[in-house]
């Protein structure tokens, strides 16, 4: 009679010290790259902005009927140079303007607070029709 064959369990796998160190270093490097790509966390500043509003009042006057007129509302362009992109965009939107961003690097703008406005067009202080677009150029902070 033959003896049954014993099946031996596979040997227990153990990580060497070098393997553990390399795994930890790779994880650390991936974390650093993610923080660099996303820009990390930085404090945000806040600023109070006052916006002028125009109110149109209609009244009936005796005489011939005329067509209604068009009221164009203009607002001073705020100075956003030196501001983080997210703050600049909020200020421009509150003033009634759209924003066109130039720049952003290889991967584009991932976290707006990590980009700073370095130039704008039109220049601050000038009057511009609400709904117009203000162009801002940005650089990484």
């Amino acid at each position: 009679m033959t003896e049954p064959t014993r099946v031996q369990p596979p040997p227990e796998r153990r990580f060497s010290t070098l393997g553990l160190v390399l795994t930890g270093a790779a994880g650390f490097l991936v974390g650093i790259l993610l923080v660099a790509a996303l820009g990390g966390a930085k404090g945000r500043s806040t600023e109070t902005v006052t916006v002028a509003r125009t109110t149109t009042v209609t009244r009936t006057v005796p005489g011939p009927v005329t067509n209604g007129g068009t009221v164009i509302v203009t607002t001073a362009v705020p100075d956003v140079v030196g501001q983080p992109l997210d703050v600049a965009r909020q200020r421009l939107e509150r003033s009634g303007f759209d924003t066109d961003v130039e720049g952003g690097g290889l991967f584009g703008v991932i976290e707006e607070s990590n980009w700073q406005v370095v130039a704008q067009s039109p220049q601050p202080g000038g009057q511009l029709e609400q709904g117009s677009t203000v162009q801002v150029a940005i650089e990484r902070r």
Side-chain angles (χ1 to χ4, degrees), residues 45-87:
S45 62
T46 59
E47 183 176 328
T48 303
V49 176
T50 303
V51 178
R53 301 265 183 222
T54 302
T55 304
T56 303
V57 178
T58 57
R59 64 183 179 114
T60 305
V61 291
V65 177
T66 60
N67 292 350
T70 301
V71 176
I72 297 174
V73 179
T74 60
T75 304
V77 177
D79 184 5
V80 294
V81 174
Q83 298 288 320
L85 177 58
D86 58 338
V87 173

Side-chain angles (χ1 to χ4, degrees), residues 1-40:
M1 185 170 244
T2 55
E3 237 177 86
T5 309
R6 284 187 169 201
V7 177
Q8 292 187 350
E12 187 176 322
R13 293 190 132 220
R14 296 182 187 208
F15 290 102
S16 67
T17 305
L18 178 61
L20 289 174
V21 169
L22 289 176
T23 302
F28 180 75
L29 182 59
V30 168
I32 294 295
L33 291 175
L34 280 173
V35 168
L38 297 177

Side-chain angles (χ1 to χ4, degrees), residues 75-80 92 95 97 120-128 134:
T75 304
V77 177
D79 184 5
V80 294
L92 290 169
S95 296
F97 302 117
Q120 75 179 72
S121 176
Q123 295 299 315
Q127 293 290 316
L128 190 62
V134 176

